Amino acid sequence: MILICEASDKQKIRLSRQHYFDSLSDYLYQHPQVTLRDLVKVFSEAGFSRYLEACIEAGLILREERRYRLALPVFTREEQEQIRLSEAVQSTLGAWGKEAETIAGIFEEKRIALTENFAPYFVENGTTLLRYSRVADEDLALCSASVGDLQEKDLAGYFSANRIVSEPEVYAPLRRLIGDVDEDYFMQQTGWIVSRVLRGKKPRDSIFLNALLMTEIVAESDGFFLKIPHLIKTDLLESPINRERVTAKSHFEKICMYSELCKAYAGGLQQWLVKIK
């Protein structure tokens, strides 16, 4: 099972990254209402009971009348396919422009609404949903929306992986180039490079420029140019703060729709820059 929750919910995220999580959540999905005796037969490792209690405390697993089941809603690949084929989603996709800047603007305007203040849930293994990644300093943000397999040119995704001490093989070329560079320092250098490029001037050769070239954020052909959209924060229509917590079902439906947008018009990866000030 795959857990979908707010990035700020550190407890759930920490538990979902432990080695028990995948096999335990899959087992409970396939065998709801099991007893503790059933569980310890399958999960006999030392420390399992403590992990189980932590999951109950975090709201991932529910214990009722000495029986255990997943505490969160589960959405399936079949449900995702139904949403994808729905007339509402197809008509909405057709109404949006296909230009990279338009798509990037849509993602940026929805980013906060889709990453904060929603009820957590599970989706079946194999379900491919939109991921947001962001690296920023006080002046500039580099963002990405991606769906499907990780892509080596997703630079914001590389920094997201670094934060959880994850080293997907797809990012090996970037790791060899920039390693564990400080995010703020990297964005300071990126801001300088972007500023030079936008003014038609040649940036100084560096590992930072090479990283931007490698990930197709900047390209060179008779001079350097910015290959991804460059948005200005003040021009964006920020989504109003939703004071009511978004339900799991509503969030899943929205994520499915924006996943389709990313796949249909951005090849599964959209990157953009936002000038904050």
Side-chain angles (χ1 to χ4, degrees), residues 73 188 223 240 275:
Q188 288 172 6
K275 183 175 175 56

Side-chain angles (χ1 to χ4, degrees), residues 251-271:
H251 187 269
F252 176 68
E253 290 172 347
K254 287 182 173 63
I255 283 288
C256 286
M257 180 170 66
Y258 289 105
S259 298
E260 288 307 305
L261 175 64
C262 190
K263 288 189 293 185
Y265 299 138
L269 172 65
Q270 175 67 68
Q271 298 188 96

Side-chain angles (χ1 to χ4, degrees), residues 150-215:
L150 297 174
Q151 296 190 34
E152 63 180 4
K153 64 181 181 180
D154 184 357
L155 186 53
Y158 170 78
F159 282 102
S160 292
N162 273 356
R163 292 184 204 120
I164 60 173
V165 198
S166 174
E167 297 188 7
E169 182 60 29
V170 69
Y171 294 136
L174 273 171
R175 179 160 297 281
R176 287 192 293 269
L177 180 62
I178 58 176
D180 293 321
V181 62
D182 178 77
E183 290 187 16
D184 287 338
Y185 184 64
F186 183 89
M187 289 308 296
Q188 288 172 6
Q189 297 298 311
T190 296
W192 181 84
I193 293 169
V194 168
S195 177
R196 297 277 297 180
V197 169
L198 291 176
R199 286 183 287 143
K201 296 186 177 182
K202 182 179 178 180
R204 178 172 56 86
D205 187 39
S206 67
I207 61 170
F208 308 103
L209 175 60
N210 289 337
L212 298 180
L213 290 168
M214 178 186 293
T215 52

